[in-house]
Amino acid sequence: MAKSPADPAAVHAANLDRAKPLLAKLRADGIGHFIDGKTVPSVSGATFETHSPIDNALLATVARGSAADIDAAAKAAEKAFKPWRDLAPETRKALLHRVADAIEDHADDIAVLECIDTGQAWRFMAKAALRAAENFRFFADRAPEARDGRNMPAGEHWNMSTRVPIGPVGVITPWNTPFMLSTWKIAPALAAGCTVVHKPAEWSPVTADLLVRLAKQAGIPDGVFNTVHGFGEDAGKSLTEHRAIKAIAFVGESSTGSAIMAQGAPTLKRVHFELGGKNPVIVFDDADLERALDAVVFMIYSLNGERCTSSSRLLVQDTIAEKFNVKLAARVRALKVGHPLDPATEIGPLIHARHLAKVVSYFDIARQDGATIAVGGKPHDGPGGGHYVQPTLVTGASATMRVAQEEVFGPFLTVIPFKDEADAIAIANGVEYGLTGYVWTADMGRGLRVSDALEAGMIWVNSENVRHLPTPFGGMKASGIGRDGGDYSFEFYMETKNISLARGTHKIQRLGV
Ligand code: NAD
């Protein structure tokens, strides 16, 4: 009997079939930089290899950029800036919608390639390209109003503010959900009238190359959007130091953010940082515990836990901690680790052997600090033999332990009990990060009080993370500087200019008469 398309085995097989010719082409062609509308090798001829986290298979040989390649891309972006800036915003809007169309047309290819390059499970990646297309549409629609300012009449003058695009910008992105995430930056930058040099993460170059080529096919003029591959310490560093680049939008680790700030200081770079997190989910004993449980499990074990907004610390009220932990442990034990292209898979392999080693090192750190590994705590022998790890639950932790303080960035949850509201707030705020917070309670007064007290850029009450594009996205403390989303994005990619017009012939002080 023929299997229905919804049958997991049939979907898995279809995903593998879809991947085969894409991978063959990738291996044959390799990945070059994309500068001034053309695919080019590195000036030095240097390359690096990218491998799949599923089985370590070679995916592609990739151009390894350095200062000379960044210089070529920055010059192309500089040359393209004025014509792009001066294009009618309605034309920019139409072009960006065409990029969204191209992404939608290739959404299935993007999904399978992203799974194979990053190890993220298809169930989460299947829609990631569509979300990227949505990012382009959202900012395309706002392109015509990006320059709008305010009227501020005053006494003898009429003041008008307007915004102008800042110039060519650098976008530096990490490897977790790389396609979708890069479009949060690239789409508003282009809509604002900036030109872009993108430096994607060296561990996930595949879909970044696809994105820039789709943009070209959609009609984005040469030089407006360029991509240079390579490592942070050379290509990334050169981008942050280049004189023609006026701003750097960066997503990655907090320590890299510090380095970029120092590298960009001599050229006075404007920076926007989206950095690490150790986000608390606080569950009070009056909460809807079934929904809270669903959200707790989803927000740390989806996307392999390689998610900046993951709730990696569960703060649970001591009155319900035992009962809640038992249910939680059962759910974690039942999570399905497997091949990323299998739609039944909930957790795929981690991005890289080095990242796996980092996550695994926290098992010993937990034990040494006196916490209990209630579930998991070992690498996992998954299909292909890649960088799989068991989803892990750590209980009996105190707020100062390293597993309660440091970002693990894997399927690794630390549970910390608390007594009351004040205790929960103190524990939640007692880390260097401040990206998101999640609060579960039936008492809306408490929900608001706790949200107000949490040191984090984004709080969800009785919800998991649901992104709404007009809202501000970003973190406090070591989690970032600046906000993405809606007009917040344009504030970053544009300069505000005030124009003051004399209404008449007001008195001007006369000197030297
Ligand atoms: P990373 O900081 O190691 O690398 C990110 C990017 O920066 C890569 O492209 C890398 O090549 C580049 N880079 C590294 N050193 C550089 C330098 N000196 N100059 C310029 N560029 C340099 O981060 P990662 O390991 O790729 O990603 C994981 C991190 O990203 C986690 O900390 C995670 O929380 C964070 N993240 C944050 C958000 C957010 O929105 N706050 C979203 C996703 C990921």
Side-chain angles (χ1 to χ4, degrees):
M1 202 173 76
K3 288 181 169 170
S4 86
D7 174 46
V11 175
H12 189 182
N15 283 341
L16 288 169
D17 283 349
R18 179 176 286 279
K20 243 180 245 157
L22 298 171
L23 293 178
K25 185 162 168 40
L26 201 55
R27 256 193 305 271
D29 294 355
I31 297 175
H33 309 304
F34 198 87
I35 298 175
D36 210 7
K38 285 175 257 344
T39 297
V40 291
S42 288
V43 172
S44 69
T47 57
F48 67 98
E49 291 185 343
T50 187
H51 296 259
S52 172
I54 304 169
D55 52 8
N56 262 317
L58 174 70
L59 294 178
T61 302
V62 188
R64 179 175 177 160
S66 57
D69 309 290
I70 290 290
D71 187 52
K75 285 190 173 134
E78 196 175 30
K79 189 179 78 193
F81 173 61
K82 282 192 181 134
W84 180 247
R85 176 194 69 186
D86 296 340
L87 208 61
E90 289 297 338
T91 311
R92 267 208 304 275
K93 171 178 168 177
L95 281 169
L96 295 178
H97 273 292
R98 287 181 56 182
V99 177
D101 295 341
I103 293 173
E104 282 172 3
D105 289 347
H106 293 80
D108 293 335
D109 291 355
I110 294 166
V112 295
L113 286 174
E114 192 87 313
C115 293
I116 292 169
D117 198 22
T118 66
Q120 296 286 5
W122 184 82
R123 68 162 62 217
F124 304 118
M125 289 302 102
K127 296 274 180 296
L130 299 180
R131 283 190 59 196
E134 223 176 275
N135 289 340
F136 269 94
R137 294 204 193 286
F138 176 87
F139 287 106
D141 286 340
R142 280 157 184 78
E145 71 207 37
R147 292 205 55 185
D148 290 359
R150 289 176 58 201
N151 274 326
M152 292 164 283
E156 300 291 347
H157 292 83
W158 198 283
N159 288 283
M160 295 163 278
S161 73
T162 184
R163 288 190 301 204
V164 290
I166 191 167
V169 299
V171 174
I172 302 179
T173 48
W175 41 259
N176 63 323
T177 64
F179 188 86
M180 202 282 294
L181 203 142
S182 66
T183 62
W184 276 1
K185 307 284 177 190
I186 293 164
L190 296 178
C194 295
T195 51
V196 170
V197 179
H198 180 207
K199 208 300 280 172
E202 51 272 40
W203 287 352
S204 59
V206 172
T207 55
D209 177 53
L210 200 51
L211 176 64
V212 73
R213 287 189 292 109
L214 288 176
K216 159 99 179 181
Q217 274 172 36
I220 297 292
D222 292 352
V224 168
F225 175 15
N226 310 273
T227 298
V228 176
H229 296 277
F231 290 74
E233 58 271 23
D234 39 39
K237 182 166 181 287
S238 304
L239 182 58
T240 62
E241 291 171 344
H242 202 285
R243 272 197 184 278
I245 299 294
K246 300 302 173 202
I248 294 286
F250 168 73
V251 187
E253 285 189 16
S254 302
S255 56
T256 314
S258 298
I260 289 176
M261 196 171 243
Q263 291 161 196
T267 50
L268 295 174
K269 287 282 183 291
R270 180 184 288 187
V271 292
H272 183 164
F273 288 163
E274 284 177 12
L275 310 173
K278 189 73 181 178
N279 309 300
V281 50
I282 307 174
V283 180
F284 287 97
D285 60 8
D286 63 346
D288 179 335
L289 296 181
E290 284 308 313
R291 284 178 60 76
L293 182 64
D294 286 345
V296 165
V297 173
F298 177 76
M299 279 312 302
I300 182 66
Y301 297 108
S302 59
L303 299 176
N304 294 348
E306 295 164 328
R307 178 179 193 153
C308 56
T309 53
S310 72
S311 51
S312 49
R313 288 184 296 154
L314 166 61
L315 278 49
V316 58
Q317 197 153 20
D318 52 11
T319 41
I320 53 161
E322 215 179 301
K323 199 172 83 187
F324 197 81
N325 285 351
V326 169
K327 288 191 171 182
L328 177 59
R331 292 282 287 274
V332 179
R333 248 178 245 117
L335 287 168
K336 188 166 181 331
V337 183
H339 193 286
L341 291 182
D342 180 347
T345 292
E346 292 169 322
I347 299 182
L350 303 186
I351 180 88
H352 195 276
R354 281 224 301 278
H355 187 56
L356 174 68
K358 175 188 159 177
V359 172
V360 166
S361 76
Y362 278 93
F363 302 150
D364 277 342
I365 292 169
R367 289 188 199 100
Q368 278 155 16
D369 283 356
T372 304
I373 297 197
V375 183
K378 289 198 183 92
H380 175 88
D381 188 14
H387 316 311
Y388 295 91
V389 68
Q390 293 177 346
T392 297
L393 178 68
V394 171
T395 55
S398 67
T400 54
M401 288 181 183
R402 286 183 62 191
V403 287
Q405 291 284 326
E406 297 172 14
E407 185 184 46
V408 179
F409 218 55
F412 185 105
L413 176 62
T414 302
V415 187
I416 310 159
F418 69 86
K419 277 203 276 308
D420 54 21
E421 200 175 307
D423 193 26
I425 292 167
I427 297 171
N429 288 342
V431 294
E432 63 171 315
Y433 296 107
L435 188 59
T436 66
Y438 305 86
V439 185
W440 285 87
T441 176
D443 176 344
M444 283 308 102
R446 175 156 68 188
L448 276 179
R449 277 195 307 278
V450 175
S451 300
D452 200 40
L454 286 181
E455 295 165 356
M458 296 169 279
I459 318 284
W460 279 269
V461 180
N462 294 336
S463 177
E464 82 285 29
N465 172 342
V466 179
R467 180 89 183 98
H468 180 50
L469 286 174
T471 60
F473 185 104
M476 296 181 182
K477 296 158 77 178
S479 289
I481 297 176
R483 297 292 180 269
D484 264 328
D487 205 54
Y488 298 95
S489 297
F490 288 151
E491 279 292 306
F492 177 70
Y493 294 108
M494 303 183 87
E495 294 278 17
T496 299
K497 182 194 287 189
N498 190 63
I499 299 165
S500 193
L501 184 71
R503 290 169 184 259
T505 51
H506 64 282
K507 189 169 170 4
I508 300 175
Q509 281 196 41
R510 300 185 70 214
L511 305 179
V513 275

